[in-house]
Amino acid sequence: METAALDGLDRAIVHALHVDGRASFSRIAAVLEVSDQTVARRYRRLRTTGALRVVGRPVAQRMGWVEWVLRVQALPEAANAIADALARRDDTLWVSLTSGGTQIVCVVQARDRRRRDALLLGQLPRTPQVTGISAHCVLRVFAGGPTGWHGRTDALTPAQIAALAPDLDDRQGEAVVLTEEDEQLLSVLLQDGRAGYTDLAKAIGASEMTARRRLDHLRRTGAVFFDVDIDPLLLGYDTVAMLWLTVEPSALRRTADALAAHPEAAFVAATTGPTNLLVFAACRDVSALYDYLEAGIGALPGVRQVESAPIIRSSKRIGAAMGSDGPRTDGRSGLAPVTRRG
């Protein structure tokens, strides 16, 4: 995959898709004042090279699911294989190796206690090469996920953002219960958030009108959102790190809200565990990471301790396993490659 920086129009298209991942090419073109064909050509180039994907993702909290962040310590010779095996599971969203290459950080969506326990109390502890596990329940997300990442790009003006924002009235209330049709829709949208209604209709065995109505329902109830998966290198971010913060409980919300406004903070969440705030930070280089730790994190109220760990390899991003040439969406799952010796 090419890693050359995006030009101005590319960045504007990325920002437009961040505002509404299913906005039509004609709508984006009208806002950017270019032709439909230009937008379509730019998008397809980014998509086919693996630089960009739009992904339809379920919102765990709206379904009553719980997200967990796992820190898995593994033997050096097995860490890559374990990370790749976790990436093949259909309940993992993000799998990365951090500095040293022996710790795997994994974000898991647990639909129910049985599936959670099968992984945390069954498969991982029985994997011989796993030497330690800690699990942190995600309590609240302040940046990333449906709220987006402010630093992804700022190519559009406020007026352009308003023109692209989807017109969705708020129907959020009780937890959403997915139908079999919804599950089939989500399986397609996880591979391609911009899949056409013809493909969605084929997936659920119904008419395009039915597919459109079901997707509209999921969006209006807040059960699904459209995320933009893009290589941080293309946005000029060479260093991505995980920051585990210990914050005074009385300052937790103020600190989390302040972090969410930082362009470096791609994801901010309050979690359980010995640390209580997790941040995915994207910086231009290691020098910029130092500056962020000193001036950005150091200036926040109530921060008692910070643990930082640069990410050195990603096995999965936003629901798609990463192959040598970009996202791999083979749909396989399990820990088979590392659960047996011999």
Side-chain angles (χ1 to χ4, degrees):
M1 184 181 68
E2 299 177 3
T3 56
L6 306 180
D7 66 19
L9 181 55
D10 288 334
R11 287 176 175 270
I13 293 171
V14 170
H15 196 168
L17 293 171
H18 172 61
V19 176
D20 183 0
R22 287 191 64 85
S24 66
F25 292 143
S26 59
R27 186 177 176 193
I28 295 173
V31 170
L32 301 184
E33 298 182 342
V34 296
S35 70
D36 300 10
Q37 293 83 357
T38 296
V39 173
R41 185 174 64 253
R42 293 290 188 108
Y43 170 77
R44 288 172 184 139
R45 175 176 57 80
L46 293 169
R47 179 83 164 83
T48 56
T49 58
L52 171 75
R53 292 186 313 132
V54 176
V55 179
R57 287 177 50 192
V59 181
Q61 294 81 359
R62 296 293 298 124
M63 258 73 74
W65 306 347
V66 178
E67 289 185 335
W68 292 81
V69 180
L70 309 184
R71 302 179 74 175
V72 180
Q73 199 71 28
L75 297 177
E77 64 272 17
N80 282 339
I82 293 172
D84 289 345
L86 285 167
R88 288 192 290 270
R89 294 179 59 93
D90 59 10
D91 55 356
T92 57
L93 296 178
W94 190 288
V95 183
S96 295
L97 279 173
T98 61
S99 54
T102 59
Q103 185 175 95
I104 304 156
V105 179
C106 173
V107 179
V108 178
Q109 278 189 339
R111 294 193 176 203
D112 52 52
R113 183 175 297 179
R114 178 185 60 80
R115 298 188 197 190
R116 178 202 66 188
D117 292 350
L119 178 62
L120 298 184
L121 303 179
Q123 290 170 296
L124 280 173
R126 289 201 300 266
T127 302
Q129 299 90 341
V130 170
T131 60
I133 307 168
S134 63
H136 307 253
C137 178
V138 176
L139 302 176
R140 183 162 300 177
V141 176
F142 294 88
T147 64
W149 169 27
H150 299 300
R152 179 175 281 136
T153 179
D154 57 358
L156 302 182
T157 67
Q160 289 174 316
I161 294 172
L164 285 164
D167 182 20
L168 300 175
D169 59 316
D170 186 1
R171 299 182 187 175
Q172 297 189 25
E174 297 181 359
V176 176
V177 178
L178 296 179
T179 66
E180 184 176 346
E181 285 184 343
D182 295 336
E183 296 275 11
Q184 292 166 337
L185 279 179
L186 285 172
S187 68
V188 175
L189 293 171
L190 186 60
Q191 309 305 318
D192 181 7
R194 293 182 61 82
Y197 289 108
T198 300
D199 293 331
L200 296 177
K202 186 182 300 184
I204 66 175
S207 67
E208 290 187 29
M209 183 175 295
T210 299
R212 187 184 296 269
R213 186 172 63 248
R214 290 309 306 168
L215 179 54
D216 182 68
H217 171 74
L218 291 174
R219 296 191 75 180
R220 291 183 181 278
T221 55
V224 66
F225 75 101
F226 292 90
D227 207 351
V228 177
D229 176 23
I230 185 167
D231 187 340
L233 279 173
L234 292 172
L235 299 176
Y237 296 110
D238 183 65
T239 300
V240 180
M242 304 198 66
L243 310 179
W244 305 84
L245 278 60
T246 303
V247 179
E248 296 284 354
S250 60
L252 188 59
R253 177 178 284 276
R254 282 182 294 147
T255 303
D257 286 340
L259 283 164
H262 292 176
E264 296 89 350
F267 180 79
V268 180
T271 70
T272 59
T275 60
N276 53 10
L277 271 183
L278 169 62
V279 180
F280 282 45
C283 298
R284 302 294 174 186
D285 50 33
V286 292
S287 179
L289 176 59
Y290 171 84
D291 291 339
Y292 181 55
L293 290 172
E294 179 185 47
I297 303 296
L300 295 175
V303 176
R304 297 201 310 249
Q305 185 175 340
V306 180
E307 178 187 351
S308 59
I311 292 173
I312 60 173
R313 177 179 180 264
S314 290
S315 293
K316 192 173 193 178
R317 276 199 325 249
I318 311 183
M322 306 301 294
S324 59
D325 57 350
R328 182 183 69 240
T329 52
D330 54 23
R332 293 173 293 173
S333 64
L335 287 169
V338 293
T339 52
R340 296 188 300 273
R341 293 185 184 273

